[in-house]
Amino acid sequence: MVHLSTIPDENQVVDGKLAGGIKKVHLQLVNDDDNFTTSVYGSRFAARDLPKHEMPEAEMSKDVAYRLIKDHLSLDGNPILNLASFVTTYMEEEAEKLMTESFSKNFIDYEEYPQSADIQNRCVSMIGRLFHAPMGVEDDVGAIGTSCVGSSEAIMLAVLAMKRRWKNKRIEEGKPYDRPNIVMSSAVQVCWEKAARYFEVEEKLVYCTEERYVIDPEEAVNLVDENTIGICVILGTTYTGEYEDVKAVDDLLTKKGLNTPIHVDAASGGFVAPFVVPDLEWDFRLEHVVSINVSGHKYGLVYPGVGWVVWRSTEFLPQELVFNINYLGADQASFTLNFSKGASQVIGQYYQLIRLGKHGYRAIMSNLTRTANYLSDSLEALGFIIMSKKSGEGLPLVAFRLPPQEDRNYDEFALAHQLRVRGWVVPAYTMAPNTKNLKMLRVVVREDFTHSRCDSLITDIKQSQQLLGQMDQDSIKKQQDFIHKHNTSSGKASHNHPKYRKEKHSLQGKTGKTHAIC
């Protein structure tokens, strides 16, 4: 009979004690200065943690620094699977090359980089024409605009312009100007609440309901009084992507003889509606629309961050808000919240505008609309309630929720967590205030979200539902807590100051919304 036997070792453990031979072992660890003949992972830096709090005293090789930071960033999520964000995640190699070559250009220095400045002017002109802006510069009839870091800055500038114009008129009439207000939907993006709070403008809100997720035109106009600086109307809300009815608001203002300005927040819809529903009247074709913002880094198809704001004419941008400077070598006018910024994103926008043209944008937005319609139909077939609009009545996104069902142990948040395990970031959140905390999920259909990838998402949603359906409530809760703690960035976040963390001090505006500082 054959027996398998171990090979004896004098250093093996015998009866729970180490053999005496272990004392003979001496560690011989390399401690020489790096000469970088080995790989990055053979250097002393690979055996240390990356500096976190204090700048290191000594330098390191550029190759080592690059590789270690790249490895650290590899733990970020895959942006292609992040269906929560509107932000562009794909650009052509040629566009990336142009942008990379412009990293060193300070866009504000018009004297040094006149061609970059001219490219901004070309973009403003093209975008203004896309929005049917008045043309010409004589007698202050032509539109005017500028690039921004994003729509948040664009909205801040637009609110400043509306407030100052209202204030000037009140001073002229000898009336008080200490209580400005702005009318808007409770479904506005947080930057509107920031603008109102930072610039001390009262928010007059038109609240959403369980059946209506956008502004009610009549209710909005009824809120207008002598202290109203303007009305915000959204072309594609953050929650459901639905277009608010700008024309209805404009018609009601005309009917009531009111001269209240309208600002259109077209952050997401400004590069979609002109190509998918060109006959929709929402822009400068309407008399009361005085300014429009749009994000280049959303459906403008440029990497973050770039935004644009256009005014109907100089009449709606008070002169005193514009600064004239000459210390960069030439006289130039400036209306921005920040000063220095890179030229790359503006150049990237120009590339997309001339590379794709109207036909290219129309083709891309048409495909996105088709994919969104397909996803909406598929989710509806799975039993979900669809909250977003289809076929061009809103942005190419799908907002949906589970049907009321008493015997189901999981909700939208549990489904979102389960999808997170599979790599997808599909946000679950509650609808705007006054909707009885209606829970929902949202998928943003971006340029790189193909029909094939959409099928993969649908399959994973079905499988996630099947798995959750087999679990009891306690198991689902334990799994959610584990996923939130270990599989999501928010669960492991430590970058927020303790004073401003959501769980300790909720930051609630007058809308009743809660926003975490990130």
Side-chain angles (χ1 to χ4, degrees):
M1 184 175 181
V2 178
H3 296 276
L4 294 175
S5 178
T6 58
I7 299 174
D9 184 351
E10 62 178 357
N11 292 326
Q12 68 185 348
V13 176
V14 180
D15 295 330
K17 298 181 180 179
L18 286 174
I22 194 69
K23 298 177 182 177
K24 300 176 183 178
V25 175
H26 297 285
L27 294 177
Q28 297 182 11
L29 303 182
V30 174
N31 198 29
D32 301 330
D33 289 339
D34 292 322
N35 57 18
F36 301 107
T37 55
T38 182
S39 74
V40 169
Y41 302 108
S43 72
R44 68 182 186 275
F45 298 104
R48 300 174 182 173
D49 197 5
L50 281 171
K52 292 181 179 178
H53 305 297
E54 188 173 344
M55 186 176 175
E57 184 65 35
E59 67 274 20
M60 68 172 69
S61 161
K62 60 183 180 181
D63 299 329
V64 173
Y66 171 80
R67 173 50 59 181
L68 293 182
I69 295 173
K70 182 179 175 67
D71 287 353
H72 187 68
L73 293 174
S74 69
L75 299 176
D76 276 342
N78 184 349
I80 291 175
L81 300 181
N82 180 7
L83 305 181
S85 176
F86 288 90
V87 174
T88 295
T89 52
Y90 166 78
M91 290 184 76
E92 293 173 327
E93 185 179 337
E94 291 76 9
E96 292 178 342
K97 187 177 179 183
L98 273 174
M99 294 170 74
T100 303
E101 291 168 353
S102 301
F103 278 164
S104 62
K105 293 184 179 180
N106 182 8
F107 181 74
I108 201 66
D109 194 344
Y110 299 162
E111 178 69 12
E112 181 68 21
Y113 306 113
Q115 300 308 314
S116 297
D118 185 54
I119 281 177
Q120 179 205 237
N121 295 340
R122 295 179 191 183
C123 290
V124 168
S125 180
M126 292 178 186
I127 293 168
R129 281 172 166 78
L130 194 64
F131 299 162
H132 299 92
M135 289 178 278
V137 293
E138 296 180 3
D139 301 322
D140 297 333
V141 296
I144 186 172
T146 186
S147 64
C148 306
V149 175
S151 271
S152 290
E153 184 188 6
I155 286 166
M156 299 280 179
L157 297 178
V159 170
L160 277 173
M162 286 190 291
K163 181 182 178 183
R164 183 56 63 93
R165 188 166 174 267
W166 168 84
K167 179 181 176 180
N168 290 346
K169 185 179 178 184
R170 299 286 288 180
I171 291 173
E172 241 178 64
E173 296 171 348
K175 297 177 180 178
Y177 52 87
D178 59 334
R179 298 193 62 187
N181 68 65
I182 187 167
V183 177
M184 54 190 179
S185 164
S186 63
V188 291
Q189 210 264 0
V190 68
C191 63
W192 280 98
E193 296 178 74
K194 286 182 179 180
R197 192 179 301 179
Y198 294 168
F199 302 141
E200 298 181 324
V201 178
E202 180 192 354
E203 301 168 52
K204 281 196 164 186
L205 299 174
V206 178
Y207 286 97
C208 297
T209 68
E210 291 181 81
E211 294 77 32
R212 174 179 52 76
Y213 312 130
V214 292
I215 201 168
D216 177 79
E218 191 165 346
E219 191 177 336
V221 174
N222 287 340
L223 287 174
V224 171
D225 60 27
E226 63 177 0
N227 291 318
T228 301
I229 67 172
I231 302 174
C232 160
V233 189
I234 311 168
L235 193 73
T237 68
T238 297
Y239 289 94
T240 65
E242 186 177 348
Y243 296 151
E244 294 187 331
D245 196 339
V246 189
K247 189 175 188 309
V249 175
D250 184 80
D251 288 344
L252 283 169
L253 288 173
T254 301
K255 183 179 178 182
K256 295 193 173 190
L258 297 172
N259 198 29
T260 308
I262 295 174
H263 175 88
V264 179
D265 180 0
S268 300
F271 278 111
V272 179
F275 303 109
V276 178
V277 281
D279 294 331
L280 180 67
E281 293 183 54
W282 61 272
D283 51 21
F284 291 117
R285 285 171 287 186
L286 303 177
E287 178 188 356
H288 293 90
V289 173
V290 302
S291 51
I292 300 172
N293 70 276
V294 65
S295 292
H297 59 234
K298 292 183 180 177
Y299 289 109
L301 308 180
V302 182
Y303 291 144
V306 61
W308 304 90
V309 58
V310 182
W311 288 270
R312 177 181 287 274
S313 73
T314 56
E315 174 191 350
F316 301 100
L317 177 55
Q319 176 67 42
E320 61 266 34
L321 292 178
V322 179
F323 289 82
N324 296 96
I325 60 172
N326 62 7
Y327 46 76
L328 289 177
D331 291 321
Q332 60 189 64
S334 172
F335 182 40
T336 58
L337 293 182
N338 67 306
F339 194 65
S340 296
K341 67 176 180 180
S344 298
Q345 268 62 28
V346 171
I347 291 168
Q349 184 73 80
Y350 184 60
Y351 173 88
Q352 294 289 50
L353 291 174
I354 68 169
R355 156 75 176 95
L356 296 172
K358 292 180 180 178
H359 182 272
Y361 270 94
R362 192 176 297 115
I364 291 170
M365 300 308 154
S366 296
N367 272 348
L368 298 186
T369 302
R370 292 188 188 100
T371 303
N373 287 348
Y374 171 70
L375 177 59
S376 181
D377 291 340
S378 300
L379 291 172
E380 193 170 22
L382 289 176
F384 288 98
I385 296 172
I386 305 301
M387 302 171 67
S388 50
K389 300 290 185 179
K390 296 197 304 181
S391 305
E393 290 185 52
L395 301 174
L397 67 78
V398 182
F400 57 104
R401 59 188 173 92
L402 291 163
Q405 192 173 320
E406 292 182 4
D407 59 346
R408 185 177 53 239
N409 291 322
Y410 65 92
D411 63 2
E412 287 80 358
F413 288 89
L415 181 55
H417 278 102
Q418 191 61 43
L419 289 171
R420 186 69 181 87
V421 175
R422 296 169 183 263
W424 301 102
V425 180
V426 178
Y429 51 93
T430 51
M431 186 56 193
N434 283 25
T435 55
K436 296 184 179 178
N437 291 322
L438 201 63
K439 298 175 184 177
M440 59 188 295
L441 297 131
R442 187 193 69 195
V443 172
V444 176
V445 178
R446 296 193 308 272
E447 182 183 9
D448 53 1
F449 187 70
T450 61
H451 193 285
S452 175
R453 191 169 293 148
C454 182
D455 277 334
S456 298
L457 173 65
I458 294 166
T459 299
D460 279 344
I461 289 174
K462 287 166 64 177
Q463 292 177 350
S464 295
Q465 280 190 285
Q466 290 170 2
L467 177 62
L468 291 168
Q470 296 168 4
M471 298 169 66
D472 58 44
Q473 199 165 14
D474 188 53
S475 299
I476 291 173
K477 187 179 185 309
K478 286 180 180 178
Q479 185 190 52
Q480 271 191 271
D481 291 342
F482 180 85
I483 294 170
H484 180 71
K485 186 175 180 180
H486 299 287
N487 288 73
T488 65
S489 298
S490 58
K492 297 180 286 186
S494 60
H495 54 274
N496 288 341
H497 190 285
K499 180 179 178 181
Y500 303 111
R501 283 183 191 157
K502 180 181 173 183
E503 63 269 19
K504 290 197 175 182
H505 294 279
S506 292
L507 299 177
Q508 294 185 330
K510 294 177 183 177
T511 61
K513 293 181 186 177
T514 300
H515 304 289
I517 293 181
C518 297

